[in-house]
Amino acid sequence: MRWRFRQISDWAVSWAGHPVVPVTLVAFAVIWTAVGLSFSFPRGWFLLTNMIGTLIIFFILLLVQHSQNRDMMALHAKLDELIRSSKAGNHWIAVEKKNAEAIEGMRRQHHDQISKTAN
C-alpha cells in the first residue's frame, strides 16, 4: 500500500508540475466562468466550483509537501554518508535534528576554528 501511494503521489506531483497544467487550468476557469454567466448558472454552482478547486489545491499541496519531505530525508542521508566517509567531524551528522540554538553554536564554533587556522 505504501509503495502504491508513493507511486501515485510521484505521478501526481510530476503531473501538477508540468508547465501546461497552469495554462490549461486558467483557460478552463475563464471558459467555465463565461459559460456560467451566459447560461445564468445559480450562485451555488460557482460556490461548488470554488469548493472543489480549493480541495484540489489542498490535496496537491499535501502531495508536494510529502514529496519534498521524502526528498529532504534522502538528501540528509546522503550528506550524512558524505560526512561519515570524509575527514569532516562526525558531530555534523544529523545536525538538522538539533534545535536552532545548538546549530548556531556549532556554526559559530566552526567559524571560529576556520578564523584561527587562517591567521
Side-chain angles (χ1 to χ4, degrees):
M1 178 68 179
R2 188 172 239 178
W3 65 271
R4 189 73 169 149
F5 175 74
R6 187 178 322 148
Q7 233 178 359
I8 292 170
S9 70
D10 286 344
W11 175 81
V13 167
S14 66
W15 177 80
H18 197 275
V20 174
V21 172
V23 173
T24 305
L25 291 177
V26 168
F28 180 74
V30 168
I31 292 169
W32 185 261
T33 303
V35 169
L37 291 175
S38 67
F39 288 116
S40 299
F41 286 151
R43 178 176 259 185
W45 185 262
F46 287 111
L47 292 176
L48 177 67
T49 304
N50 189 12
M51 182 187 70
I52 290 171
T54 301
L55 289 174
I56 290 171
I57 289 170
F58 184 68
F59 181 67
I60 293 293
L61 175 71
L62 291 177
L63 285 176
V64 168
Q65 187 64 46
H66 170 76
S67 176
Q68 186 178 18
N69 287 345
R70 194 177 67 242
D71 289 347
M72 286 304 294
M73 287 190 311
L75 181 64
H76 285 295
K78 290 174 184 179
L79 287 173
D80 289 348
E81 185 57 32
L82 284 173
I83 292 170
R84 254 187 229 97
S85 66
S86 72
K87 293 180 183 180
N90 285 343
H91 61 279
W92 288 101
I93 293 177
V95 72
E96 71 276 1
K97 294 179 181 165
K98 296 185 180 189
N99 62 24
E101 293 82 23
I103 293 171
E104 182 60 28
M106 290 174 69
R107 191 192 64 74
R108 270 196 304 266
Q109 181 183 11
H110 181 68
H111 183 67
D112 292 343
Q113 288 173 352
I114 291 173
S115 297
K116 288 178 185 176
T117 59
N119 292 331

